[in-house]
Amino acid sequence: MPIHLKPGREKSLFRRHPWIFSGAIQRVDEEPASGGTVDLLSSKGDFLARAAYSPQSQIRARVWTFDDEPVDVDFLRRKIKSAIHARETWNLKRDTDAFRLIYAESDGLPGLIVDRYDDVLVLQSLTTGSEFWKETIADILLEETGLSTIYERSDADVRELEGLQPITGLLRGSILHSPLTIHEHGLKFTVNLAEGHKTGFYLDQRMNRLRVRELAKDRDVLDCFCYTGGFTVNALAGGAKSVLSVDSSADALELVSGNVASNGLPAERHARLEGDIFQLLRKFRDEGRAFDMVILDPPKFAPTAAQAEKAARGYKDINLLAFKLLRAGGILVTFSCSGGVDAGLFQRIVAASALDAGVDAQIVEHLAQASDHPVALNFPEGAYLKGLVCVKR
Ligand code: SAH
C-alpha cells in the first residue's frame, strides 16, 4: 500500500533513518491496517522504503527495509538470525547468561526487544509493526534459539503512544520459571521476569557493574537508586570497605540483601536505607557524612527532549550533592538513561554540578550501554545510557 511523502521529506530516508513522522506524509490513498506493511514513496512516486504503519503515533511509519524486497517470514528470520549471530560473535555467553538478543531499530527490527535470561526469552513489543508480526516472530525465535519459553513484557509506557494496551504473560511455553537466577561475571542475581523493571534486570549496565567492582576496593561506597543491587553486589565483590544501598522501594532493598547473601558477600559491610535520594543526600550533607565512591543511577528523568530542562535540574541536584559527599580522591560514578539528555548535555550538567559544589574534579572514564545494546549509526536515538566516572581532587 503506497504512502506519498511531501516534497523534500524523503531526506531522512536518504540518511537511512527509519522513522517517518506524520507531518512528512502528503497522502495515504487507502488507510492501511495498524502495523501493516506500506511502501514509502517520494513526492514523485519513487520507491524509498518499506515500513510498518502506525495510525495513531506521531511516528507514523517505521522502516523495515530500504530495499524493494518482501517483508515476510523469511525477511524477519534473516534479521533475527543476524542479531542472534552478532551476540555469538561478541562472546557474551562468556560473561553472562542474561543478555539482549534483539535491540529494536538498532538491529533493524523497529519496536522489538528480546532479552534472554538463561533459558527463557522475554519479548517486549513496543510498536504496531512488532505487534502485527508478534506471533510469527515468536515462532522464529523458538526455532532459531532452540528454547521453548517466551514471556511477554509488553508493558512499557511508550505503547500508549501507539494506541496499544499493555500485555504481559506467557507467549510460548507453559511454565515460567521466575524468579530465576542469572550469572554475570561470576556473580549471581535473582531476577523476577514478571515484575522486575524493564524485562527484569538492567542488562545495559553489565560492563559498568564490572567497572565498579574494579574501582571499589577499600572504599566506602554509597549506591543511590540501587534497585536490586547490581552495583552494590559488585562493589562488595570488589572489596569495598562498606556499601550503603539506597532506594525508595522496600521490595527492591529486600532483594539487594538476598543478592548480597547468595554471593557469600560480607553482610557486616553492607547496610541499606529506604528513602528519597533527593532528601537523603541533603540529610547526609547536613550530617557531614563522607564516602569514597558515590554511584548515581536514577530512573529516566527525561524520556524525550521535551522534558530535558526539568530533567537537567534533577541531575544537577543529585550530582551536586554527591560531589559534596565525596572525600578528596573519591569517585563519582554517575549515569543518565534519559533519551532526551544527550552525552554532551549530561557532561555539561555534571560540570555545572561540580562548579556549584565548589569541587575540582576530572572525568577519568566515559561509560555507555553494553554491546548487546548496539547503536546503529543511522539511528543515534538508540544511544540512551551514558555515564561518567569522575574523580574529586
Ligand atoms: N542501579 C540499578 C537500577 C536503578 S533503577 C541497577 O543497576 O539495577 C532506578 C531505581 O530508582 C528504582 O529502583 C527506583 O525504585 C528508584 N527510585 C526512583 N526514584 C527514587 C527516589 N527519588 N529516591 C530513591 N529511589 C528512587
Side-chain angles (χ1 to χ4, degrees):
M1 213 161 295
I3 288 192
H4 301 264
L5 300 189
K6 290 178 184 163
R9 298 303 290 266
E10 61 279 349
K11 269 199 213 126
S12 64
L13 293 177
F14 289 146
R15 291 197 310 270
R16 297 213 154 213
H17 193 279
W19 290 353
I20 283 296
F21 287 88
S22 57
I25 293 176
Q26 175 82 279
R27 201 171 89 235
V28 179
D29 291 337
E30 197 185 322
E31 188 66 18
S34 174
T37 305
V38 293
D39 282 358
L40 301 176
L41 306 181
S42 73
S43 55
K44 298 198 189 86
D46 299 328
F47 174 87
L48 297 168
R50 202 149 275 156
Y53 188 69
S54 188
Q56 293 193 33
S57 174
Q58 285 297 316
I59 305 172
R60 194 55 50 90
R62 287 181 172 80
V63 173
W64 289 119
T65 175
F66 292 95
D67 297 331
D68 188 359
E69 60 179 330
V71 174
D72 55 12
V73 188
D74 288 344
F75 171 84
L76 293 168
R77 187 185 300 277
R78 270 200 318 279
K79 293 273 170 181
I80 289 170
K81 270 177 105 158
S82 134
I84 293 176
H85 178 70
R87 272 59 178 184
E88 273 158 21
T89 58
W90 298 327
N91 234 340
L92 280 153
K93 283 187 183 154
R94 181 193 53 194
D95 299 337
T96 181
D97 53 14
F99 52 89
R100 179 150 294 186
L101 276 184
I102 297 173
Y103 180 35
E105 274 82 344
S106 298
D107 281 308
L109 291 162
L112 179 69
I113 286 175
V114 181
D115 290 341
R116 178 174 179 159
Y117 290 88
D118 193 15
D119 56 0
V120 178
L121 297 176
V122 181
L123 179 147
Q124 195 165 56
S125 160
L126 300 173
T127 61
T128 56
S130 55
E131 199 66 21
F132 185 90
W133 290 101
K134 193 163 76 185
E135 297 299 325
T136 309
I137 288 167
D139 292 338
I140 298 172
L141 283 169
L142 294 191
E143 285 160 21
E144 295 302 329
T145 59
L147 300 175
S148 53
T149 309
I150 304 178
Y151 191 75
E152 181 170 10
R153 280 294 306 270
S154 300
D155 55 350
D157 294 343
V158 289
R159 271 174 71 96
E160 261 176 59
L161 305 174
E162 298 276 310
L164 299 169
Q165 300 293 318
I167 302 174
T168 58
L170 276 165
L171 185 61
R172 290 289 183 279
S174 49
I175 308 165
L176 177 67
H177 298 287
S178 173
L180 53 72
T181 301
I182 60 153
H183 302 81
E184 177 187 283
H185 291 128
L187 295 173
K188 289 187 269 190
F189 294 95
T190 297
V191 177
N192 186 331
L193 299 180
E195 283 163 20
H197 288 184
K198 308 230 280 184
T199 59
F201 197 61
Y202 287 87
L203 301 174
D204 51 356
Q205 289 281 24
R206 181 182 316 112
M207 299 313 287
N208 306 329
R209 282 189 280 271
L210 183 63
R211 199 66 191 116
V212 160
R213 194 191 309 179
E214 290 162 349
L215 295 171
K217 193 166 174 43
D218 298 329
R219 293 183 186 268
D220 289 317
V221 178
L222 175 62
D223 181 9
C224 300
F225 309 96
C226 65
Y227 188 47
T228 57
F231 287 112
T232 290
V233 167
N234 275 276
L236 286 168
K241 198 193 293 171
S242 73
V243 181
L244 175 57
S245 313
V246 187
D247 202 282
S248 54
S249 157
D251 292 346
L253 287 169
E254 214 36 66
L255 292 168
V256 180
S257 301
N259 284 326
V260 169
S262 68
N263 285 288
L265 294 164
E268 67 279 6
R269 293 194 191 182
H270 179 232
R272 51 185 230 204
L273 191 58
E274 181 188 336
D276 174 50
I277 300 286
F278 291 85
Q279 290 170 13
L280 282 171
L281 291 178
R282 284 192 167 70
K283 183 163 164 281
F284 289 171
R285 177 200 58 193
D286 296 343
E287 292 169 357
R289 291 189 65 165
F291 300 88
D292 308 300
M293 177 186 262
V294 177
I295 299 159
L296 296 175
D297 184 23
K300 215 186 279 171
F301 289 159
T304 69
Q307 299 102 320
E309 211 180 294
K310 183 160 169 279
R313 283 197 294 277
Y315 288 122
K316 170 102 183 276
D317 196 26
I318 54 177
N319 280 280
L320 192 160
L321 289 160
F323 272 126
K324 289 202 182 229
L325 295 180
L326 280 175
R327 299 190 179 110
I331 298 176
L332 173 67
V333 185
T334 180
F335 295 98
S336 161
C337 61
S338 295
V341 174
D342 68 20
L345 175 58
F346 185 56
Q347 182 171 326
R348 288 196 295 282
I349 295 168
V350 175
S353 308
L355 190 67
D356 286 10
V359 162
D360 186 16
Q362 308 166 309
I363 296 172
V364 291
E365 274 176 48
H366 293 262
L367 305 176
Q369 62 216 52
S371 62
D372 49 341
H373 299 58
V375 182
L377 285 170
N378 59 330
F379 185 67
E381 290 86 345
Y384 63 96
L385 180 65
K386 50 259 153 207
L388 295 171
V389 182
C390 298
V391 173
K392 178 171 172 176
R393 298 212 273 185

